[in-house]
Amino acid sequence: QMQLVESGGGLVQPGGSLRLSCAASGSFFSINTMGWYRQAPGKQRELVATIISGGRKNYADSVKGRFTISRDNAKNTVYLQMNSLKPEDTAVYYCNIADGYMSSWGQGTQVTVSS
């Protein structure tokens, strides 16, 4: 039922920027948390940033000051603006929505930061 359509990944040079977007469709409670997670090769999936319906945000220390999460509640869409990208940011990025009744994941989008 739930679908998360993700876009915006790609290849960028160190110091570059990307904006990821993820639009959720289906049935879910209006009070929810949307977020971005990433998984690098050989690593565990880790939280990047989350944002609740009311706008409160949380960031991993590794991206704080460089990444910005935002959401458009009317469009059920979450964004991740990534600036000053580093090679260490290379990973598959997944969006997620959770409302206490379900948790759904996007398909993942590859972000590669390399010169």
Side-chain angles (χ1 to χ4, degrees), residues 86-106:
K86 305 174 180 180
E88 304 89 85
D89 297 317
T90 296
V92 178
Y93 284 69
Y94 301 89
C95 63
N96 172 267
I97 182 169
D99 65 5
Y101 296 92
M102 61 87 213
S103 179
S104 297
W105 293 89

Side-chain angles (χ1 to χ4, degrees), residues 49 57 59 63 65-70 79-83:
K57 304 171 183 179
Y59 296 95
V63 307
R66 299 188 297 120
F67 292 10
T68 302
I69 190 170
S70 61
Y79 306 92
L80 185 68
Q81 178 67 46
M82 304 185 294
N83 299 325

Side-chain angles (χ1 to χ4, degrees), residues 49-52 54-59 68-71:
T50 60
I51 181 169
I52 64 172
R56 190 177 299 274
K57 304 171 183 179
N58 184 53
Y59 296 95
T68 302
I69 190 170
S70 61
R71 62 186 290 164

Side-chain angles (χ1 to χ4, degrees), residues 24-47:
S25 62
S27 180
F28 53 89
F29 193 52
S30 59
I31 301 176
N32 58 69
T33 300
M34 301 185 80
W36 291 94
Y37 298 74
R38 67 187 182 186
Q39 187 167 22
K43 304 291 186 179
Q44 296 289 323
R45 186 174 299 186
E46 64 177 355
L47 181 147

